[in-house]
């Protein structure tokens, strides 16, 4: 059994950058060499039901929900971990996401963190949400735990961040050192998933719905473009792919009435099956496959070029099982000696545990983020 004798730090973390209000109480130890985390509490209040009727996140509604949820979630954490919170001391921290994200939503978390900082007499630090996603790879917990858990990651590593707002490829040479190799020039891949879902009348958030419908198809029937697949750089583009899906749907709708096309597929006359049967499922499959082919091809090319020992996948789209499996199978097919890492499912999408992890790693550097909402903060 490993005994952690190093200085440890308790972090109360707050995340409100988009549509999840999340709080966590985490103890971190081990420094940059052997980081380990013990999670005492983690709560997320999802706003999916609030935004679903609008087909996407409404910033002012998100703000209203965060304002309502923050004291409730803190009350729950306080009830369950009263003595731990009351014993927080000088070197412990309150960490809060300051960007990127929706500014009205970010402010709610920042203001709440500052009030709490005064009440508990603790230092408040700002965290970059994207760093949170990167560091979610150091969280291998499947559930809340009373033990410290650590995750060893070997460098150099290639890290692919795929979320609703970002698609970024990084070369990491150490836990706290990276270089951006490329990023999307237009839409983020998660955004493309959400927009395609909307075109198909699927509920928000679209990514999981597209993945669910794609599951019943096993062949790439519609050959959508693979933007920037053959370009030698590490940038991405998903706007053209999204538009190709839109044009495809329009063309199909000329052949068949839109109500028929968008209605429950099981009601469609079987005689039309060749043309429109399972159409939504086929579109989801082919769109998803086109996106996954570009993401995995470029990431693996970078891994080979920079002789990476690890590939790290993170961000909401990392929850996609086909994306994860494609990485695993391509690494195996090519006989590459690369460890593939992806966080436990609940740490792919927004959460506060990853914000605590980022605050811990940043505590070893000079890096500081101003305590103000920075909607377009980058890495
Ligand atoms: O990281 P995240 O929770 O929030 C941002 O920081 O943006 O990512 C949300 C994005 C959304 O676009 C959502 O549709 C997508 O992640 N997503 C998925 C899946 N689960 C979530 N995309 C594809 N497949 C999934 N299973
Ligand atoms: Zn996120």
């Amino acid at each position: 059994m490993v005994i952690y004798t190093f200085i440890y730090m308790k972090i109360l973390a707050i995340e409100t950058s988009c549509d999840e209000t999340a709080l966590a109480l985490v103890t971190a130890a081990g420094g940059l060499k052997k980081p380990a985390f013990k999670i005492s509490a983690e709560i997320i209040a999802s706003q999916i039901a609030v935004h679903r009727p609008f087909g996407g996140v409404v910033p002012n509604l998100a703000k209203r929900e965060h304002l309502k949820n923050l004291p409730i979630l803190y009350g729950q954490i306080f009830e369950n971990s009263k003595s731990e919170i009351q014993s927080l001391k000088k070197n412990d921290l309150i960490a809060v996401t300051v960007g990127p994200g929706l500014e009205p939503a970010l402010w709610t978390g920042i203001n709440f963190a500052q009030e709490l900082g005064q009440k508990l007499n603790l230092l408040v630090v700002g965290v970059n949400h994207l760093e949170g996603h990167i560091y979610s790879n150091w969280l291998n917990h499947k559930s809340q735990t009373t033990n410290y858990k650590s995750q060893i990651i070997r460098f150099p590593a290639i890290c692919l961040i795929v979320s609703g707002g970002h698609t970024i490829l990084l070369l990491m040479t150490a836990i706290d050192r990276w270089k951006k190799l490329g990023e999307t020039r237009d839409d983020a891949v998660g955004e493309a998933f959400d927009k395609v879902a909307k075109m198909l009348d699927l509920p928000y958030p679209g990514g999981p719905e597209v993945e669910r419908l794609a599951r019943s198809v096993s062949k790439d029937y519609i050959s959508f473009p693979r933007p920037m697949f053959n370009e030698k750089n590490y940038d991405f583009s998903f706007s053209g792919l999204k538009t190709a899906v839109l044009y495809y749907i329009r063309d199909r709708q000329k052949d068949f009435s839109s109500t028929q096309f968008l209605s429950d597929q099981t009601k469609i006359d079987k005689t039309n099956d060749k043309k429109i049967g399972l159409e939504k499922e086929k579109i989801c499959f082919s769109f998803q496959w086109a996106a996954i082919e570009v993401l995995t091809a470029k990431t693996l090319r970078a891994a080979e070029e920079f002789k990476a020992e690890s590939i790290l996948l993170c961000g909401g789209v990392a929850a996609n099982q086909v994306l994860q499996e494609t990485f695993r199978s391509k690494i195996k097919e090519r006989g590459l000696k690369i460890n593939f890492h992806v966080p436990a499912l609940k740490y792919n999408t927004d959460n506060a545990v990853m914000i605590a992890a980022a605050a811990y790693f940043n505590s070893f550097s000079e890096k500081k983020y101003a305590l103000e909402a920075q909607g377009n903060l980058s890495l």
Side-chain angles (χ1 to χ4, degrees), residues 129 133 163-165 190-191 193-194 206-208 211 315-317 319-320 348-350:
H129 181 83
H133 277 306
S163 69
E191 191 181 348
F193 265 93
D194 293 337
E211 181 179 14
V317 184
N320 188 292
N348 290 139
T349 42
D350 294 346

Side-chain angles (χ1 to χ4, degrees), residues 15 17-18 129-130 133 163-166 315-316 348-351 354:
E15 156 64 41
S17 67
C18 191
H129 181 83
L130 295 170
H133 277 306
S163 69
H166 297 83
N348 290 139
T349 42
D350 294 346
N351 64 87
M354 70 182 194

Side-chain angles (χ1 to χ4, degrees), residues 53-320:
F54 303 93
V57 183
V58 183
N60 277 329
L61 283 184
K63 175 183 165 180
R64 187 193 73 187
E65 290 300 299
H66 289 311
L67 283 172
K68 187 181 81 190
N69 292 334
L70 279 164
I72 299 173
L73 298 198
Y74 178 68
Q76 285 173 15
I77 288 204
F78 188 79
E79 267 314 298
N80 296 331
S81 314
K82 206 174 199 161
S83 58
E84 209 176 334
I85 289 186
Q86 282 170 338
S87 66
L88 290 173
K89 54 183 186 327
K90 204 166 158 247
N91 289 325
D92 297 328
L93 293 178
I94 292 177
V96 62
T97 305
V98 294
L102 304 169
E103 293 200 350
L106 289 162
W107 274 119
T108 64
I110 296 167
N111 291 336
F112 190 80
Q114 284 183 315
E115 279 169 30
L116 213 54
Q118 282 185 350
K119 197 160 121 190
L120 301 174
N121 199 21
L122 288 172
L123 181 67
V124 181
V125 296
V127 170
N128 182 329
H129 181 83
L130 295 170
E131 291 179 4
H133 277 306
I134 296 172
Y135 291 132
S136 63
N137 269 290
W138 274 260
L139 305 167
N140 58 1
H141 308 65
K142 295 233 172 350
S143 59
Q144 204 168 308
T145 171
T146 48
N147 297 319
Y148 284 98
K149 293 264 176 74
S150 67
Q151 175 77 52
I152 305 295
I153 291 177
R154 301 218 308 250
F155 295 99
I158 297 293
C159 176
L160 176 66
I161 309 172
V162 276
S163 69
H166 297 83
T167 307
I168 303 175
L169 199 62
L170 299 177
L171 168 64
M172 296 181 76
T173 49
I175 253 180
D176 56 349
R177 231 171 305 138
W178 59 70
K179 186 180 134 193
K180 204 185 270 184
L181 296 176
E183 64 191 317
T184 184
R185 293 190 183 173
D186 40 57
D187 290 359
V189 64
E191 191 181 348
F193 265 93
D194 293 337
K195 285 180 177 163
V196 165
K198 217 168 174 180
M199 291 173 204
L200 294 171
D201 254 5
L202 300 173
Y204 153 87
E209 290 295 315
V210 170
E211 181 179 14
R212 188 175 64 77
L213 260 69
R215 238 175 257 148
S216 61
V217 178
S218 54
K219 198 177 131 196
D220 190 13
Y221 287 97
I222 313 156
S223 183
F224 288 128
R226 271 82 171 135
M228 302 188 73
F229 188 87
N230 291 317
E231 290 187 28
K232 292 281 165 263
N233 55 46
Y234 291 114
D235 282 343
F236 300 95
S237 162
F238 292 100
S239 157
L241 170 59
K242 173 197 71 187
T243 310
V245 175
L246 180 69
Y247 289 163
Y248 181 85
I249 294 173
R250 280 199 188 151
D251 287 348
R252 297 291 98 186
Q253 284 173 330
K254 273 184 205 146
D255 298 340
F256 303 95
S257 76
S258 61
T259 46
Q260 191 180 22
F261 178 81
L262 292 172
S263 67
D264 181 355
Q265 299 298 316
T266 55
K267 286 185 198 140
I268 290 170
D269 183 353
K270 280 284 171 202
T271 54
N272 286 329
D273 185 59
K274 264 198 190 122
K275 275 184 175 168
I276 57 166
L278 295 177
E279 197 68 38
K280 277 191 194 181
E281 286 84 347
K282 283 179 187 166
I283 293 169
C284 288
F285 180 95
S286 292
F287 158 75
Q288 178 175 274
W289 189 236
I292 288 177
E293 283 215 316
V294 182
L295 291 170
T296 51
K298 289 209 152 179
T299 306
L300 284 166
R301 182 154 61 73
E304 288 187 284
E305 180 179 340
F306 295 99
K307 300 188 174 30
E309 301 213 19
S310 314
I311 288 178
L312 315 183
L313 181 64
C314 56
V317 184
N320 188 292

